[in-house]
């Protein structure tokens, strides 16, 4: 049995980031109506001032504001109506002092006007006059040219995960297509003589259903990866080596799960070492669960290889902490928001390890309480009740009831 | 100009929910590897005990625990090795007092064994004996039958939005396919003489780019709707009526946006009234932005019709508050988690209206500070910097700096 050179999660991440510098992070161009949830691979600048013309925000009359200074309920100002602004049309006439023009919400102000009096405070008078019963300030009822965005402004930055609001802003700005990060390709290879297809029933003695290929694929998709393929392979050195080698040809990440027993752990490490130019560079990470995780990199094919524990929760935890983080790093995306919550109970730290606790959240008067879920290693059913997880760092002695921890949502 | 019978958001939601009872909420059956993020339309029960057999959680020797009671570092217990458990195989032999069997992590315990001694505390002795240097408790190193789930247990409930962890639990349980809610079909019809395609450049005077079809589609997808089609129609009563009528044939929701001027508002309300059996049942909601929102229902086609404001932010806010909520109600999904945050500034309420403030979040020592973004109505660029929104209810006088509000993430 090899000694595991256990490193911290920070060291493992840093090494992962270093080798990923050799990655070609691909981008693709998508029409904006297909880009929701994708991460921008370019800065987006406004190419023109928006609005492009002075727009009215109300129904009413475009006026020269100072004409209305003395207007009041008992003493209206009378203005001459010299035109009607049509929706969606240019306004090719001007108004002078003492004049006004009828204008709809969204209409283009005529030259000379600097405010819009709301229709609610105006009353037509005779055939071509209007009485204004309230004074309006300069700029009132008007969106100025460039109020929304100025040509050259940065509208959205590289790394932004596009929301519906962002898609709307792109449409307003006339951006039809955007460059977004293409999902890196990943393969999941589950190993073990004990594994049978999840769709194969009934179970026989000694067998369990294969889970990691399915649950890790779902997790990878959540983090923006494309799952190129999954495979289930028996505990056979040549078969595993062939499966990994095959996947390396067209994937940026090849993940091998299984090998919880000591002999199998060594086999996975040996295979990843043999197939990578720079060999295994992480062999054990100080996280709980997920400690027996192996990382290797092959320079020739630019493939990151990872050996994950066989137990589903351990495998998901290690993958999430490493490759969820890497996906955000390579796309310059910010970390997702976490929820501050007060612990309902004391929680111990594991000596020398960062410990990940699945947990439930309960809201009471704008304040969340968090309760850890304790499950035996390898039992996944309890996880379905978890809302997310929190972490206790290796340099703490745990936390007391009432302490605030940050909960990362599943 | 019609008087708007303004109702509260709670009343509008309740009426919406009532008419949606007439909806046929469709379901579809998907293989679990395509079900991530979908909402379960059925309760899922475990069909068998899992694990299906007693599994070892360590590499070592399956023992009778009481044999090891006296074992210690200086005085080991010697046990006879009577078998080797093979991974993935049934274990068809038994052990008696004084005996043990070699077992890998995940292996099936032989009959008679009730604990596993870790290999780290064992040493082979001679050809068929092993020295155990540490006592093991009954059940130690063993996952019992049914520890993960018991046949008949509810594994997941209707309304659960499936996480990668849930997908994993389904795989473990041997559930190959699940019934999930099918996305309701929705059509977005944007109206206005001023609208030009977002891909049409350059802008001319009086024109703006059509935004609502694209941004509302993205928002609808986020809430699990399927956007059946979008259309842009000029301010022409017959054309709008035809477009709505056409969409009613195969959509559960038809949303018409536009009509910010008084004349146009009336036109949308008239058209929705004419095309629906029960007429317009909400005409104005006490929310800001989003007040001029209209709801109607057609019993014959079971179509909910909604008239949304033309301004993009108003339209998105009203759609989000009404139809995001409705999507969760009809699928029995819980409301998403929101983030408690302290206001960085005083925030006023709008008299008689629920006010929605886009905002940014900043984290400092496990505590978020929230700052509202004030934007003129209709300006969308500032929204791209927002992380989410918070709400000030109509029955409050606003909030003071330091007060906690719940931030809903975009």
């Amino acid at each position: 049995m090899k000694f595991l050179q256990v490193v911290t999660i920070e060291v493992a991440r840093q090494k992962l980031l270093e080798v990923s510098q050799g990655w070609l992070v691909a981008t693709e161009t998508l029409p904006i109506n297909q880009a929701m949830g994708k991460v921008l691979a370019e800065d987006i600048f406004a190419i023109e001032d928006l609005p492009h013309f002075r727009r009215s925000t109300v129904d009413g009359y475009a006026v020269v504001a100072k004409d209305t200074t003395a207007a009041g309920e008992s003493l209206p100002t009378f203005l001459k109506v010299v035109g009607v602004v049509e929706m969606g049309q240019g306004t090719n006439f001007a108004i002078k002092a003492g004049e006004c023009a009828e204008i709809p919400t969204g209409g283009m102000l005529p030259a000379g006007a600097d405010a819009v009096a709301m229709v609610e405070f105006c009353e037509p008078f005779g055939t071509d006059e209007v009485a204004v019963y309230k004074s309006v300030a300069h700029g009132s009822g008007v969106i100025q040219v460039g109020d929304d965005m100025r040509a050259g402004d940065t509208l959205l930055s590289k790394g932004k995960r596009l929301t519906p609001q962002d898609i709307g802003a792109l449409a307003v700005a006339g951006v039809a297509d955007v460059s977004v990060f293409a999902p890196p390709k990943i393969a999941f290879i589950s190993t073990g003589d004990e594994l049978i297809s999840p769709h194969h029933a009934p179970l026989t003695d000694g067998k369990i259903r294969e889970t990691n290929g399915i649950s890790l694929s779902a997790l990878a998709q959540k983090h923006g990866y494309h799952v190129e393929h999954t495979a289930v392979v028996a505990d056979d050195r040549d078969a595993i080596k062939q499966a990994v080698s095959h996947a390396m040809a067209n994937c940026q990440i090849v993940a091998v799960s299984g090998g919880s027993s000591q002999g199998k752990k060594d086999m996975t490490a040996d295979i990843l070492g043999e197939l990578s130019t720079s060999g295994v560079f992480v062999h054990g990470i100080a996280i709980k669960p997920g400690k027996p995780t192996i990382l290797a990199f092959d320079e020739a094919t630019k493939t990151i290889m990872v050996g994950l524990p066989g137990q589903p929760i351990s495998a998901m935890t290690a993958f999430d902490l490493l490759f969820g983080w890497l996906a955000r790093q390579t796309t310059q995306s910010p970390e997702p928001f976490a929820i501050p919550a007060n612990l309902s109970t004391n929680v111990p730290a594991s000596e020398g390890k960062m410990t990940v606790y699945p947990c439930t959240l309960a809201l009471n008067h704008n304040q969340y309480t968090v309760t850890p879920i304790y499950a035996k290693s390898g039992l996944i059913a309890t996880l379905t009740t978890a809302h997310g997880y929190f972490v206790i760092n290796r340099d703490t002695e745990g936390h007391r009831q009432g302490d605030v921890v940050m909960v990362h949502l599943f």
Side-chain angles (χ1 to χ4, degrees), chain A:
Chain A
M1 168 188 153
K2 275 188 193 165
F3 182 68
L4 296 177
Q5 301 281 349
V6 174
V7 297
T8 64
I9 184 73
E10 292 80 10
V11 167
R13 284 175 168 177
Q14 199 50 48
K15 291 187 175 198
L16 201 51
L17 188 59
E18 279 163 25
V19 297
S20 79
Q21 302 301 311
W23 258 11
L24 185 65
V25 181
T27 60
E28 58 189 340
T29 299
L30 291 180
I32 60 172
N33 63 4
Q34 292 171 28
M36 222 267 289
K38 302 279 183 180
V39 178
L40 266 186
E42 61 177 349
D43 294 328
I44 302 283
F45 302 97
I47 50 169
E48 61 199 335
D49 292 343
L50 288 172
H52 187 61
F53 54 90
R54 297 185 303 155
R55 294 188 80 190
S56 176
T57 61
V58 293
D59 294 347
Y61 293 86
V63 300
V64 180
K66 69 181 176 191
D67 283 353
T68 69
T69 309
E73 244 176 89
S74 55
L75 188 65
T77 294
F78 291 88
L79 299 173
K80 188 178 181 195
V81 182
V82 298
V84 176
V85 173
E86 295 291 336
M87 197 63 182
Q89 303 296 321
T91 304
N92 56 7
F93 60 87
I95 67 165
K96 299 192 299 286
E99 296 179 346
C100 69
E102 203 182 323
I103 190 167
T105 305
M108 175 179 176
L109 258 73
D114 61 10
V116 179
M118 286 175 76
V119 69
E120 286 83 347
F121 301 106
C122 298
E123 191 179 13
F125 187 83
T127 53
D128 63 351
E129 277 196 307
V130 69
V132 180
Y133 289 91
K134 196 178 179 185
S135 72
V136 286
H138 176 90
S140 173
V142 180
I143 301 176
Q144 304 294 340
V145 171
D147 261 0
D148 202 357
M149 54 190 96
R150 287 260 167 217
D153 281 357
T154 302
L155 182 56
L156 289 162
S157 297
K158 185 176 176 176
K160 183 78 200 281
R161 187 177 296 277
L162 295 171
T163 64
Q165 287 75 10
D166 296 334
I167 302 291
L170 290 167
V172 165
V175 178
D177 305 292
V178 286
S179 173
V180 298
F181 287 103
K185 291 180 188 169
I186 190 163
F188 290 106
I189 298 165
S190 305
T191 68
D193 291 336
E194 74 278 23
L195 301 179
I196 63 168
S197 155
H199 303 179
H200 186 288
L203 283 176
T204 54
D205 277 352
K207 302 288 188 194
I208 59 169
R209 295 198 177 84
E210 201 288 303
T211 304
N212 284 336
I214 293 167
S215 56
L216 291 171
S217 290
L219 189 57
Q221 283 162 26
K222 181 182 143 184
H223 289 306
Y225 293 100
H226 172 78
V227 180
E228 185 72 10
H229 76 269
T230 61
V232 182
V233 183
D235 284 320
D236 176 277
R237 172 183 278 267
D238 289 341
I240 296 173
K241 196 164 174 178
Q242 195 182 340
V244 174
S245 184
H246 172 74
M248 287 168 69
N250 59 351
C251 290
Q252 281 111 314
I253 301 172
V254 179
V256 181
S257 75
S260 300
S261 69
Q262 290 301 348
K264 289 164 121 194
K265 269 181 210 157
D266 290 349
M267 189 160 78
T268 303
D270 288 349
I271 291 169
L272 299 192
E274 288 163 23
L275 290 174
S276 60
T277 48
S278 44
V280 169
F281 61 85
V282 166
H283 197 160
I285 303 176
I287 51 176
K288 182 184 175 182
K291 183 181 169 194
T293 294
I294 298 160
L295 292 171
F297 184 66
D298 180 54
E299 189 67 46
T301 57
K302 310 284 185 203
T303 311
I304 292 175
M305 287 177 272
V306 52
L308 293 167
Q311 288 159 346
I313 299 177
S314 304
M316 291 182 88
T317 303
F319 185 85
D320 200 53
L321 291 177
L322 292 170
F323 292 93
W325 180 86
L326 185 66
R328 294 186 291 274
Q329 287 288 314
T330 53
T331 57
Q332 299 177 24
S333 298
E335 292 293 299
F337 288 103
I339 292 184
N342 297 95
L343 281 168
S344 67
T345 175
N346 295 341
V347 180
S350 294
E351 206 183 332
K353 288 181 196 164
M354 186 178 92
T355 312
V356 175
Y357 289 93
C359 60
T360 56
L361 286 167
L363 183 64
N364 192 13
H365 295 300
N366 288 358
Q367 174 114 23
Y368 285 103
T369 300
V370 55
T371 303
I373 296 173
Y374 294 100
K376 271 196 199 177
S377 171
L379 305 187
I380 199 167
T382 46
L383 265 199
T384 62
T385 62
H387 295 125
Y389 70 89
F390 65 89
V391 154
I392 299 212
N393 286 320
R394 70 180 178 288
D395 49 359
T396 68
E397 294 184 349
H399 285 297
R400 295 197 171 279
Q401 185 179 349
D403 283 357
V404 176
V405 295
M406 299 300 291
V407 176
H408 305 268
L409 296 173
F410 279 156

